[in-house]
Amino acid sequence: MSNSIEFFFDFSSPYGYLAAQEIDKLGEKHGRSVVWKPFLLGVTFKETGIPPLMQVPLKSEYSDHDLKRSARRLGVPFIWPDPFPFPSVAASRAFYWVEREKGADAAKALALALYFQAFGAGRDIATAEPVIQICDSLGHEGADEGVQDAAIKDKLKEVTGDALERKIFGSPFFFVDGEPFWGHDRIAYIDEWLAKGGW
Amino acid sequence: MSNSIEFFFDFSSPYGYLAAQEIDKLGEKHGRSVVWKPFLLGVTFKETGIPPLMQVPLKSEYSDHDLKRSARRLGVPFIWPDPFPFPSVAASRAFYWVEREKGADAAKALALALYFQAFGAGRDIATAEPVIQICDSLGHEGADEGVQDAAIKDKLKEVTGDALERKIFGSPFFFVDGEPFWGHDRIAYIDEWLAKGGW
């Protein structure tokens, strides 16, 4: 088994946006690479029957407050995208296409740009059109074909199937040496876990 | 407004058990007293429609793992009580009775003993009988009448009503200078919040 940190996230997950700002720095601190794995959380919601975060009374108000507070702490903007929630298929496929064509670092840069567009600027990445525009702006031409590529579609299905099999029910979700950690608020635990070598 | 930390919890909440081990130490570190406020989470679950933690597929398996890991980290045992979930009315009333009769410190010591019985020893605190026994063992005689005291019953209703009004939807739940924090995993945030005076 590789000793990389696995970072599962959905592009429509606001806490995934926050985790994306921090996780590579945390990996660096402990000499660990981080493998980013966007997946379709909606598929796992069907499995658990958990309603999306912002559809639960009281909890949604608190989460709005907590997200903005957590973003302030990281020094990044937070604005709800419109529409929300939104389908993350196009963004996820673009990620895997850029990863295949240009490598993991380029794909991470794209993921951060997509996340920023959605939760930093409050804009729409729900359809292929804005996703392709962001790819273009980063010099990744051909994304219109990339997001329709059969092998890329299969890759997203495969990762989402893997997420289900590994009992992932939320975003962000991390594995460190096989140990599962759920939620942006578990990043401090991961830090401690890596420092101590578990406990 | 007092500058105390308010600690809302339900006696049947396993993450409340963990938070109870830490919160007073955290308060001390920052020169803040902590006011413990057991309430009936079941009443707020009705409001939100959130199913109890351990009734959600996948999430319940993860939570079992996370609770045991979190208890190990704190150096306390973790055993599921039988039955679980259980009604926390008797335990909560005993808390407010001891608080009225003997003061806040005695009530906290009772709360820790009750929590330990449930989640440290895996035993039953669902009914008045074991709750009264624990009161007796701590030298608080008369708990059998105390848990039936009309003013004590009203006190628990009042705190639970206050929890609802303040939009508390889970346990543990904290307020620090009016700022809400939900979950055992937000204790690190509270620490940082108090150190920085917010952000």
Side-chain angles (χ1 to χ4, degrees), chain B residues 31-93:
Chain B
R32 300 279 188 127
S33 59
V34 182
V35 182
W36 291 34
K37 298 190 170 182
F39 74 107
L40 301 179
L41 184 60
V43 176
T44 71
F45 276 158
K46 276 178 205 152
E47 188 82 358
T48 55
I50 298 174
L53 185 65
M54 298 312 286
Q55 288 174 24
V56 181
L58 304 189
K59 201 171 178 176
S60 61
E61 279 180 61
Y62 172 81
S63 297
D64 176 70
H65 182 79
D66 186 62
L67 282 160
K68 288 168 181 166
R69 169 173 72 190
S70 298
R72 268 199 326 272
R73 178 172 164 271
L74 295 177
V76 295
F78 187 89
I79 302 174
W80 286 104
D82 181 19
F84 183 84
F86 59 85
S88 50
V89 179
S92 305
R93 285 183 188 162

Side-chain angles (χ1 to χ4, degrees), chain A residues 48 50 56-57 59 61-62 65-66 69-70 72-73 167 169 179-182 185-186 189 192 199, chain B residues 48 50 56-57 61-62 65-66 69-70 72-73 167 169 179-182 185-186 189 192 199:
Chain A
T48 55
I50 298 174
V56 181
K59 201 171 177 177
E61 279 180 60
Y62 172 80
H65 182 80
D66 186 62
R69 169 173 72 191
S70 298
R72 270 199 324 273
R73 177 172 165 271
K167 305 186 175 176
F169 55 85
E179 185 75 15
F181 295 91
W182 166 51
D185 43 17
R186 274 291 181 247
Y189 253 40
E192 196 175 324
W199 61 73
Chain B
T48 55
I50 298 174
V56 181
E61 279 180 61
Y62 172 81
H65 182 79
D66 186 62
R69 169 173 72 190
S70 298
R72 268 199 326 272
R73 178 172 164 271
K167 303 185 177 178
F169 54 86
E179 186 75 14
F181 294 91
W182 166 50
D185 44 16
R186 275 291 181 247
Y189 253 40
E192 196 176 326
W199 61 74

Side-chain angles (χ1 to χ4, degrees), chain B residues 93-112:
Chain B
R93 285 183 188 162
F95 176 94
Y96 287 117
W97 172 71
V98 168
E99 187 183 54
R100 189 186 68 189
E101 300 297 317
K102 309 276 185 86
D105 286 347
K108 285 183 191 184
L110 172 67
L112 287 169

Side-chain angles (χ1 to χ4, degrees), chain B residues 10 27 80 108 118 126-127 130-131 144 153 162 164-165 168 170 178 191 195:
Chain B
D10 184 298
W80 286 104
K108 285 183 191 184
T127 59
V131 169
D144 47 340
K153 290 181 180 179
D162 183 41
L164 260 179
E165 216 164 279
I168 291 175
D191 190 16

Side-chain angles (χ1 to χ4, degrees), chain A residues 13-187:
Chain A
S13 158
Y15 284 110
Y17 161 67
L18 296 178
Q21 317 299 322
E22 297 196 274
I23 192 63
D24 274 28
K25 263 175 260 169
L26 184 68
E28 239 170 72
K29 179 176 167 187
H30 296 284
R32 301 279 188 127
S33 59
V34 182
V35 181
W36 291 35
K37 298 191 170 181
F39 74 106
L40 301 179
L41 183 60
V43 175
T44 72
F45 276 160
K46 275 179 207 152
E47 188 81 359
T48 55
I50 298 174
L53 185 64
M54 299 313 286
Q55 288 174 23
V56 181
L58 305 188
K59 201 171 177 177
S60 61
E61 279 180 60
Y62 172 80
S63 298
D64 177 70
H65 182 80
D66 186 62
L67 283 160
K68 287 168 182 167
R69 169 173 72 191
S70 298
R72 270 199 324 273
R73 177 172 165 271
L74 296 177
V76 295
F78 186 89
I79 301 174
W80 287 104
D82 182 18
F84 183 84
F86 59 85
S88 50
V89 178
S92 305
R93 286 184 187 161
F95 176 93
Y96 287 116
W97 172 71
V98 168
E99 187 183 54
R100 189 186 68 189
E101 301 297 317
K102 309 276 186 86
D105 286 347
K108 285 184 191 184
L110 172 68
L112 286 169
L114 288 164
Y115 254 149
F116 186 83
Q117 181 85 343
F119 294 102
R123 289 164 72 186
D124 175 17
I125 59 163
T127 58
E129 204 193 322
V131 169
I132 291 166
Q133 274 177 12
I134 292 171
C135 287
D136 284 348
S137 75
L138 294 172
H140 308 315
E141 278 162 33
D144 47 342
E145 285 174 24
V147 298
Q148 294 302 330
D149 186 308
I152 293 301
K153 290 181 180 179
D154 285 348
K155 172 75 182 178
L156 178 57
K157 275 183 210 159
E158 185 195 309
V159 176
T160 300
D162 183 41
L164 260 179
E165 217 164 279
R166 294 169 75 186
K167 305 186 175 176
I168 291 175
F169 55 85
S171 164
F173 206 103
F174 309 90
F175 286 96
V176 179
D177 303 334
E179 185 75 15
F181 295 91
W182 166 51
H184 174 242
D185 43 17
R186 274 291 181 247
I187 281 193

